[in-house]
Amino acid sequence: MLKQMLPQQEHVGALLAAVRRRIRQVVHAEAGGHRLSPQQFWSLLGIDEAGPLSLGRLAERLRIDQPTASRVVASLTKRRLVRMTEDPGDRRRLLIATTPEGAQLAARVRPVARELREALVAGFSPTELAALRGALQKIVGNLDRFEARRARRPARATQAREEHA
C-alpha cells in the first residue's frame, strides 16, 4: 500500500472509517476463500463462541442492528452453517447455534480472527488499550446521543415549510 503523508490532526471519523475499511479488507481477503462476507465471518464466530443465543443477543454482541443480524443469520442458515431452534425457556424466542458444518468452518477461520484481533492492538500497553476501549465506547455513546437528539427534532425541510407557510 502506498504510504501517504497525512495531516497530524486527522478527523476522528476519517480515522475510524479507515480502520473499519482495513479490517473489512483483511477479513474479506482471509474469509472470502470460505465464501464468507466480513459480516458472516464475525457472525459465525460470534454464534459459535457464545451460542446458542437469540438474535437480539447476537446483535448486541456484534454491535449491529437486528435487521442486519437477521439478514446475516438467514444467509448462514441457507448455507446450513447455523440453525435456529425454539428456546426451551421461552417458546416465543428462537436460539441460533452453529451446525456441525458451521462449527468446523468456525474452527478453521478462528485463527484468522485471533491473529487480526492481536494485530489490531499490537504495540499497545494495557493502559493504552484500556484508554482506547474507553475512547471508542465514548464515541459510540456520543453517536447514540447525537442520533437520539436528531430523531426528536423535526426534519429541517418540514420545519422550513412550516415557517414559510
Side-chain angles (χ1 to χ4, degrees):
M1 185 173 123
L2 181 62
K3 298 268 182 187
Q4 297 176 355
M5 293 301 294
L6 298 173
Q8 289 238 330
Q9 295 300 316
E10 286 184 84
H11 292 284
V12 171
L15 288 168
L16 291 171
V19 168
R20 183 173 187 269
R21 254 191 321 277
R22 289 298 293 132
I23 291 170
R24 287 181 63 83
Q25 289 168 347
V26 170
V27 171
H28 191 289
E30 296 289 338
H34 299 286
R35 296 183 6 226
L36 291 172
S37 71
Q39 284 183 324
Q40 291 170 336
F41 173 87
W42 293 117
S43 296
L44 179 65
L45 286 170
I47 294 164
D48 191 61
E49 291 167 356
L53 70 169
S54 69
L55 186 64
R57 181 68 189 110
L58 177 65
E60 287 173 12
R61 180 178 172 84
L62 300 177
R63 292 187 176 260
I64 59 177
D65 59 41
Q66 286 199 20
T68 300
S70 180
R71 282 191 303 275
V72 174
V73 167
S75 67
L76 293 172
T77 301
K78 190 180 286 189
R79 288 191 53 198
R80 296 189 174 115
L81 297 174
V82 301
R83 69 180 180 295
M84 296 176 48
T85 58
E86 195 175 90
D87 183 343
D90 182 350
R91 289 190 210 170
R92 297 168 296 176
R93 181 175 28 204
L94 293 174
L95 296 177
I96 308 157
T98 53
T99 61
E101 297 86 1
Q104 288 175 356
L105 181 53
R108 284 197 305 273
V109 299
R110 187 170 287 108
V112 172
R114 185 176 35 256
E115 290 173 19
L116 177 56
R117 288 170 177 154
E118 289 170 2
L120 280 170
V121 297
F124 281 88
S125 71
T127 302
E128 290 171 325
L129 192 52
L132 175 62
R133 280 192 179 104
L136 292 171
Q137 289 167 346
K138 186 177 271 190
I139 289 170
V140 170
N142 289 346
L143 290 172
D144 288 346
R145 284 186 295 283
F146 174 78
E147 189 176 42
R149 280 194 311 270
R150 289 189 55 85
R152 288 192 304 266
R153 279 191 273 170
R156 291 178 193 250
T158 304
Q159 194 174 23
R161 278 195 301 269
E162 290 171 356
E163 289 172 1
H164 295 324

mmCIF file of all heavy atoms in Angstrom, residues 112-133:
data_model
loop_
_atom_site.group_PDB
_atom_site.id
_atom_site.type_symbol
_atom_site.label_atom_id
_atom_site.label_comp_id
_atom_site.label_asym_id
_atom_site.label_seq_id
_atom_site.Cartn_x
_atom_site.Cartn_y
_atom_site.Cartn_z
ATOM 1 N N VAL A 112 -7.683 -16.872 12.122
ATOM 2 C CA VAL A 112 -7.620 -15.593 11.404
ATOM 3 C C VAL A 112 -8.160 -14.481 12.302
ATOM 4 O O VAL A 112 -7.555 -13.403 12.407
ATOM 5 C CB VAL A 112 -8.420 -15.658 10.082
ATOM 6 C CG1 VAL A 112 -8.523 -14.291 9.429
ATOM 7 C CG2 VAL A 112 -7.808 -16.680 9.146
ATOM 8 N N ALA A 113 -9.289 -14.733 12.958
ATOM 9 C CA ALA A 113 -9.873 -13.732 13.852
ATOM 10 C C ALA A 113 -8.924 -13.427 15.001
ATOM 11 O O ALA A 113 -8.728 -12.265 15.361
ATOM 12 C CB ALA A 113 -11.223 -14.219 14.389
ATOM 13 N N ARG A 114 -8.327 -14.468 15.568
ATOM 14 C CA ARG A 114 -7.394 -14.276 16.689
ATOM 15 C C ARG A 114 -6.193 -13.439 16.235
ATOM 16 O O ARG A 114 -5.798 -12.491 16.908
ATOM 17 C CB ARG A 114 -6.945 -15.632 17.236
ATOM 18 C CG ARG A 114 -6.068 -15.537 18.463
ATOM 19 C CD ARG A 114 -5.694 -16.876 19.089
ATOM 20 N NE ARG A 114 -5.502 -17.977 18.157
ATOM 21 C CZ ARG A 114 -6.378 -18.979 17.957
ATOM 22 N NH1 ARG A 114 -7.512 -19.016 18.613
ATOM 23 N NH2 ARG A 114 -6.127 -19.938 17.091
ATOM 24 N N GLU A 115 -5.639 -13.768 15.080
ATOM 25 C CA GLU A 115 -4.485 -13.015 14.570
ATOM 26 C C GLU A 115 -4.858 -11.568 14.277
ATOM 27 O O GLU A 115 -4.085 -10.650 14.565
ATOM 28 C CB GLU A 115 -3.936 -13.682 13.310
ATOM 29 C CG GLU A 115 -3.248 -15.007 13.566
ATOM 30 C CD GLU A 115 -2.873 -15.728 12.275
ATOM 31 O OE1 GLU A 115 -2.813 -15.079 11.214
ATOM 32 O OE2 GLU A 115 -2.657 -16.951 12.347
ATOM 33 N N LEU A 116 -6.030 -11.357 13.705
ATOM 34 C CA LEU A 116 -6.477 -9.995 13.412
ATOM 35 C C LEU A 116 -6.692 -9.209 14.697
ATOM 36 O O LEU A 116 -6.249 -8.062 14.819
ATOM 37 C CB LEU A 116 -7.759 -10.021 12.590
ATOM 38 C CG LEU A 116 -8.385 -8.661 12.271
ATOM 39 C CD1 LEU A 116 -7.400 -7.747 11.558
ATOM 40 C CD2 LEU A 116 -9.646 -8.842 11.454
ATOM 41 N N ARG A 117 -7.343 -9.826 15.680
ATOM 42 C CA ARG A 117 -7.567 -9.145 16.960
ATOM 43 C C ARG A 117 -6.236 -8.789 17.616
ATOM 44 O O ARG A 117 -6.085 -7.701 18.185
ATOM 45 C CB ARG A 117 -8.405 -10.027 17.882
ATOM 46 C CG ARG A 117 -9.857 -10.130 17.457
ATOM 47 C CD ARG A 117 -10.608 -11.185 18.233
ATOM 48 N NE ARG A 117 -12.017 -11.220 17.868
ATOM 49 C CZ ARG A 117 -12.785 -12.288 17.983
ATOM 50 N NH1 ARG A 117 -12.302 -13.421 18.487
ATOM 51 N NH2 ARG A 117 -14.054 -12.247 17.634
ATOM 52 N N GLU A 118 -5.264 -9.685 17.530
ATOM 53 C CA GLU A 118 -3.936 -9.400 18.099
ATOM 54 C C GLU A 118 -3.224 -8.300 17.308
ATOM 55 O O GLU A 118 -2.599 -7.419 17.895
ATOM 56 C CB GLU A 118 -3.097 -10.680 18.112
ATOM 57 C CG GLU A 118 -3.572 -11.697 19.130
ATOM 58 C CD GLU A 118 -2.899 -13.068 18.994
ATOM 59 O OE1 GLU A 118 -2.015 -13.229 18.112
ATOM 60 O OE2 GLU A 118 -3.263 -13.969 19.772
ATOM 61 N N ALA A 119 -3.332 -8.328 15.990
ATOM 62 C CA ALA A 119 -2.686 -7.312 15.157
ATOM 63 C C ALA A 119 -3.261 -5.925 15.424
ATOM 64 O O ALA A 119 -2.528 -4.928 15.407
ATOM 65 C CB ALA A 119 -2.826 -7.671 13.673
ATOM 66 N N LEU A 120 -4.558 -5.864 15.684
ATOM 67 C CA LEU A 120 -5.205 -4.574 15.946
ATOM 68 C C LEU A 120 -4.615 -3.857 17.154
ATOM 69 O O LEU A 120 -4.556 -2.632 17.186
ATOM 70 C CB LEU A 120 -6.703 -4.771 16.185
ATOM 71 C CG LEU A 120 -7.568 -4.928 14.956
ATOM 72 C CD1 LEU A 120 -8.968 -5.362 15.349
ATOM 73 C CD2 LEU A 120 -7.620 -3.650 14.163
ATOM 74 N N VAL A 121 -4.192 -4.608 18.147
ATOM 75 C CA VAL A 121 -3.735 -3.988 19.393
ATOM 76 C C VAL A 121 -2.231 -4.180 19.631
ATOM 77 O O VAL A 121 -1.733 -3.876 20.723
ATOM 78 C CB VAL A 121 -4.546 -4.509 20.601
ATOM 79 C CG1 VAL A 121 -6.016 -4.122 20.451
ATOM 80 C CG2 VAL A 121 -4.401 -6.008 20.769
ATOM 81 N N ALA A 122 -1.540 -4.662 18.606
ATOM 82 C CA ALA A 122 -0.094 -4.872 18.746
ATOM 83 C C ALA A 122 0.589 -3.561 19.123
ATOM 84 O O ALA A 122 0.293 -2.501 18.569
ATOM 85 C CB ALA A 122 0.493 -5.416 17.439
ATOM 86 N N GLY A 123 1.473 -3.625 20.081
ATOM 87 C CA GLY A 123 2.231 -2.456 20.493
ATOM 88 C C GLY A 123 1.542 -1.582 21.526
ATOM 89 O O GLY A 123 2.138 -0.622 22.008
ATOM 90 N N PHE A 124 0.301 -1.877 21.857
ATOM 91 C CA PHE A 124 -0.401 -1.106 22.873
ATOM 92 C C PHE A 124 -0.070 -1.671 24.251
ATOM 93 O O PHE A 124 -0.083 -2.889 24.446
ATOM 94 C CB PHE A 124 -1.924 -1.190 22.688
ATOM 95 C CG PHE A 124 -2.473 -0.306 21.608
ATOM 96 C CD1 PHE A 124 -2.549 -0.744 20.302
ATOM 97 C CD2 PHE A 124 -2.937 0.968 21.910
ATOM 98 C CE1 PHE A 124 -3.052 0.065 19.304
ATOM 99 C CE2 PHE A 124 -3.452 1.784 20.919
ATOM 100 C CZ PHE A 124 -3.508 1.333 19.605
ATOM 101 N N SER A 125 0.174 -0.795 25.189
ATOM 102 C CA SER A 125 0.327 -1.234 26.578
ATOM 103 C C SER A 125 -1.071 -1.504 27.129
ATOM 104 O O SER A 125 -2.064 -1.029 26.557
ATOM 105 C CB SER A 125 1.002 -0.135 27.403
ATOM 106 O OG SER A 125 0.102 0.954 27.590
ATOM 107 N N PRO A 126 -1.196 -2.227 28.225
ATOM 108 C CA PRO A 126 -2.520 -2.432 28.824
ATOM 109 C C PRO A 126 -3.221 -1.104 29.136
ATOM 110 O O PRO A 126 -4.434 -0.981 28.944
ATOM 111 C CB PRO A 126 -2.223 -3.230 30.099
ATOM 112 C CG PRO A 126 -0.967 -3.977 29.776
ATOM 113 C CD PRO A 126 -0.166 -3.032 28.912
ATOM 114 N N THR A 127 -2.468 -0.115 29.570
ATOM 115 C CA THR A 127 -3.057 1.193 29.878
ATOM 116 C C THR A 127 -3.565 1.863 28.601
ATOM 117 O O THR A 127 -4.673 2.422 28.580
ATOM 118 C CB THR A 127 -2.015 2.094 30.580
ATOM 119 O OG1 THR A 127 -1.578 1.432 31.757
ATOM 120 C CG2 THR A 127 -2.592 3.456 30.925
ATOM 121 N N GLU A 128 -2.774 1.808 27.538
ATOM 122 C CA GLU A 128 -3.202 2.398 26.264
ATOM 123 C C GLU A 128 -4.421 1.677 25.708
ATOM 124 O O GLU A 128 -5.336 2.315 25.184
ATOM 125 C CB GLU A 128 -2.064 2.336 25.237
ATOM 126 C CG GLU A 128 -0.907 3.255 25.529
ATOM 127 C CD GLU A 128 0.280 2.991 24.616
ATOM 128 O OE1 GLU A 128 0.536 1.817 24.255
ATOM 129 O OE2 GLU A 128 0.963 3.977 24.263
ATOM 130 N N LEU A 129 -4.437 0.365 25.839
ATOM 131 C CA LEU A 129 -5.564 -0.419 25.339
ATOM 132 C C LEU A 129 -6.840 -0.084 26.109
ATOM 133 O O LEU A 129 -7.910 0.072 25.512
ATOM 134 C CB LEU A 129 -5.244 -1.912 25.434
ATOM 135 C CG LEU A 129 -6.177 -2.855 24.713
ATOM 136 C CD1 LEU A 129 -6.375 -2.462 23.260
ATOM 137 C CD2 LEU A 129 -5.636 -4.274 24.808
ATOM 138 N N ALA A 130 -6.734 0.052 27.418
ATOM 139 C CA ALA A 130 -7.895 0.438 28.224
ATOM 140 C C ALA A 130 -8.384 1.829 27.813
ATOM 141 O O ALA A 130 -9.592 2.068 27.708
ATOM 142 C CB ALA A 130 -7.548 0.402 29.709
ATOM 143 N N ALA A 131 -7.449 2.748 27.576
ATOM 144 C CA ALA A 131 -7.826 4.107 27.156
ATOM 145 C C ALA A 131 -8.491 4.076 25.782
ATOM 146 O O ALA A 131 -9.473 4.781 25.547
ATOM 147 C CB ALA A 131 -6.595 5.015 27.143
ATOM 148 N N LEU A 132 -7.964 3.256 24.869
ATOM 149 C CA LEU A 132 -8.554 3.145 23.536
ATOM 150 C C LEU A 132 -9.970 2.592 23.622
ATOM 151 O O LEU A 132 -10.896 3.149 23.023
ATOM 152 C CB LEU A 132 -7.696 2.243 22.642
ATOM 153 C CG LEU A 132 -8.252 1.947 21.253
ATOM 154 C CD1 LEU A 132 -8.398 3.233 20.439
ATOM 155 C CD2 LEU A 132 -7.368 0.933 20.528
ATOM 156 N N ARG A 133 -10.168 1.523 24.382
ATOM 157 C CA ARG A 133 -11.515 0.961 24.543
ATOM 158 C C ARG A 133 -12.464 2.004 25.128
ATOM 159 O O ARG A 133 -13.597 2.153 24.667
ATOM 160 C CB ARG A 133 -11.476 -0.264 25.450
ATOM 161 C CG ARG A 133 -11.031 -1.517 24.767
ATOM 162 C CD ARG A 133 -11.302 -2.746 25.635
ATOM 163 N NE ARG A 133 -10.887 -3.926 24.934
ATOM 164 C CZ ARG A 133 -9.766 -4.601 25.204
ATOM 165 N NH1 ARG A 133 -8.974 -4.208 26.170
ATOM 166 N NH2 ARG A 133 -9.451 -5.670 24.510
#
